[in-house]
Amino acid sequence: MSSTEPTPARIRASDAERERIATRVQSAGAAGRLTLTETDERVAAVYAATYTDELGGLTADLPPERPPVRRPPVRALRLHATIAAAVSVLMVVRWLVSGAEFFWPVVPVFWLAVSVAVHAWLRGLPARRRDVVPY
């Protein structure tokens, strides 16, 4: 495009942009922010829109989108489990070397195992359940 050509005043909307806005409108309807009629009208308007500036007006009165929740990588859980196992082995070896009669590592090893189990459980929860706002 040369500098003598005029830049377009409006930009055409892509199918992906329409889908993103339609999903946002439908989510607002499901949350009770829009009536069923309003939701239907807005979704129809989304798919009928040609330009991106037409899409913006359909969600202007809705709360802003929240960024997606990033889940920690599986490697964080593996690292947690590896460290817990290593510390547990060190405590058992220390108990063996000390010659103590009572198996004292049982309590810290239990809590290390609980911490890994809770980490795995939290990792498995759907993002929506963790983000519920109590009213």
Side-chain angles (χ1 to χ4, degrees), residues 22-128:
T23 301
R24 189 166 169 211
V25 169
Q26 290 168 341
S27 296
R33 295 185 186 278
L34 300 172
T35 66
L36 185 57
T37 305
E38 287 175 315
T39 303
D40 288 342
E41 289 171 356
R42 288 189 190 199
V43 169
V46 166
Y47 289 116
T50 305
Y51 299 101
T52 56
D53 59 344
E54 296 169 349
L55 295 174
L58 298 170
T59 58
D61 60 342
L62 299 176
E65 285 182 288
R66 290 177 32 187
V69 177
R70 269 192 66 207
R71 299 180 94 180
V74 174
R75 149 181 97 206
L77 181 59
R78 285 188 191 137
L79 178 63
H80 185 174
T82 302
I83 290 172
V87 169
S88 297
V89 167
L90 286 173
M91 285 189 287
V92 170
V93 168
R94 174 108 189 233
W95 171 76
L96 286 171
V97 171
S98 72
E101 292 180 25
F102 175 70
F103 185 65
W104 58 265
V106 72
V107 175
V109 168
F110 170 77
W111 287 113
L112 286 169
V114 167
S115 72
V116 171
V118 168
H119 186 164
W121 178 72
L122 287 174
R123 170 122 181 83
L125 281 181
R128 283 189 217 136

Side-chain angles (χ1 to χ4, degrees), residues 2-25:
S2 69
S3 61
T4 59
E5 293 180 29
T7 58
R10 300 173 84 188
I11 299 173
R12 289 188 170 267
S14 69
D15 288 340
E17 290 169 322
R18 283 189 203 91
E19 284 298 323
R20 184 177 58 79
I21 297 297
T23 301
R24 189 166 169 211
V25 169

